Amino acid sequence: MKRPDLSSPPTYDEALRIARDHAQNPGTLVPYPHQGLENARYGGGFVFLQTIGSDRREVDGYVLVTATGYGSGILSAGRHTIDTVISEHLARAEHANRNIPDSDLSVAHRVALAAFDAGRTRIDETPERTALDAETADYAEFVLIVLRRSSNPGDSGRNILARNDFLLQDPTPGRRYTHPCPHCARPAIYAERYPRVVCDHCLSRTADRAGRRVTGYNTHLSGGMIAYYTDTLEHSDSSKEECVEVTRTGVCFIDGQPATMQEARFGGIVVQMASD
């Protein structure tokens, strides 16, 4: 489900506009009044029913528009009735906004939360680091990186933990979670397949040979990479300017030092410093 540009539950008119843009058959949209959804403490919004045509028959569908996202689907007489869809959505919203007690947090989580809420970029900047062993500090750095990647304006660290259950799991003993960035030594998420992967700070500084910033994207769900000049991304899709050089060769630069940009094995883009 995609996130709309909404900081609070949408009004009915906003929801209808988004639903019309998102529906497969906008002309068939009809509102489905639901007091529980419209007055929900978390994830409130509106739902609309639609009829989706196919070669064989017409099927019932829906568009759900809420403060946390919007999406659509097909309904069936069984599990996927509209009331079931709404109930599951509200349950997820409550879960993602639950209060996480201190008893559910490890030392690594508490240190990462303190660093995140203080605006720090690494565990080493916190006084609590001296009390951590190397393995705990490594996992705390990993949690902090994910918190920073997942944050939205106004989020606390606990808000983000509540939305990402995997972060509350205990670390795997003996697993390495971070490594020093090969360019600037900041913590970067470790991946055995990509031993020279850079940190998020350096990832944002990738450039072409002339020094113009570039950003890589997947071209399809099945893979492929394209590099755009970063300063053209804030405009409409038609204004995006491809950096053909980086798309074609995968060679980019960070502060003038050679690096490689490529599609990651399971999606996304990975940037590594070139081998010495």
Side-chain angles (χ1 to χ4, degrees), residues 28 72 86 103 128 151 158 169 179 183 189 204 210 245 258:
T28 66
S72 62
I86 294 170
S103 58
E128 295 88 350
S151 64
R158 288 182 189 248
Q169 299 174 2
H179 73 143
H183 181 62
I189 291 182
S204 69
E245 171 194 336

Side-chain angles (χ1 to χ4, degrees), residues 61-82:
Y62 69 91
V63 182
L64 178 68
V65 182
T66 75
T68 57
Y70 58 92
S72 62
I74 295 175
L75 300 172
S76 67
R79 178 175 177 272
H80 291 103
T81 65
I82 190 59

Side-chain angles (χ1 to χ4, degrees), residues 109-123 125-126 140 143-161 163:
H109 289 108
R110 290 196 290 271
V111 173
L113 284 173
F116 176 83
D117 289 337
R120 296 190 171 101
T121 60
R122 62 180 87 176
I123 298 302
E125 297 171 346
T126 67
V143 173
L144 178 58
I145 292 171
V146 178
L147 289 175
R148 291 177 58 82
R149 285 183 176 181
S150 306
S151 64
N152 298 306
D155 275 346
S156 71
R158 288 182 189 248
N159 293 150
I160 302 169
L161 284 180
R163 296 199 304 264

Side-chain angles (χ1 to χ4, degrees), residues 42-257:
Y42 302 115
F46 298 89
V47 68
F48 303 86
L49 301 180
Q50 66 172 325
T51 302
I52 302 172
S54 66
D55 294 338
R56 296 183 179 180
R57 62 188 179 92
E58 292 184 335
V59 295
D60 295 328
Y62 69 91
V63 182
L64 178 68
V65 182
T66 75
T68 57
Y70 58 92
S72 62
I74 295 175
L75 300 172
S76 67
R79 178 175 177 272
H80 291 103
T81 65
I82 190 59
D83 288 327
T84 301
V85 169
I86 294 170
S87 294
E88 291 178 348
H89 161 72
L90 292 176
R92 288 192 298 269
E94 285 286 338
H95 181 77
N97 287 277
R98 72 193 186 281
N99 179 53
I100 300 176
D102 288 344
S103 58
D104 287 355
L105 300 175
S106 68
V107 173
H109 289 108
R110 290 196 290 271
V111 173
L113 284 173
F116 176 83
D117 289 337
R120 296 190 171 101
T121 60
R122 62 180 87 176
I123 298 302
D124 284 347
E125 297 171 346
T126 67
E128 295 88 350
R129 168 63 183 91
T130 57
L132 303 181
D133 60 64
E135 189 169 323
T136 302
D138 176 50
Y139 187 63
E141 291 283 18
F142 168 77
V143 173
L144 178 58
I145 292 171
V146 178
L147 289 175
R148 291 177 58 82
R149 285 183 176 181
S150 306
S151 64
N152 298 306
D155 275 346
S156 71
R158 288 182 189 248
N159 293 150
I160 302 169
L161 284 180
R163 296 199 304 264
N164 295 277
D165 286 342
F166 78 94
L167 278 180
L168 291 170
Q169 299 174 2
D170 292 331
T172 302
R175 174 181 167 183
R176 185 178 183 180
Y177 284 89
T178 70
H179 73 143
C181 173
H183 181 62
C184 72
R186 290 178 174 88
I189 291 182
Y190 174 76
E192 185 176 2
R193 180 178 291 273
Y194 309 112
R196 295 185 62 78
V197 68
V198 301
C199 67
D200 290 356
H201 174 78
C202 290
L203 180 64
S204 69
R205 298 174 62 79
T206 51
D208 67 0
R209 191 174 300 274
R212 188 176 176 187
R213 294 284 169 83
V214 294
T215 302
Y217 288 89
N218 288 130
T219 55
H220 303 92
L221 291 176
S222 58
M225 186 200 80
I226 187 170
Y228 291 108
Y229 286 111
T230 307
D231 57 12
T232 70
L233 293 176
E234 295 181 359
H235 308 294
S236 63
D237 288 345
S238 61
S239 299
K240 291 179 180 177
E241 183 181 351
E242 180 185 358
C243 177
V244 177
E245 171 194 336
V246 176
T247 298
R248 180 174 55 83
T249 67
V251 176
C252 60
F253 297 84
I254 300 174
D255 299 328
Q257 300 300 308

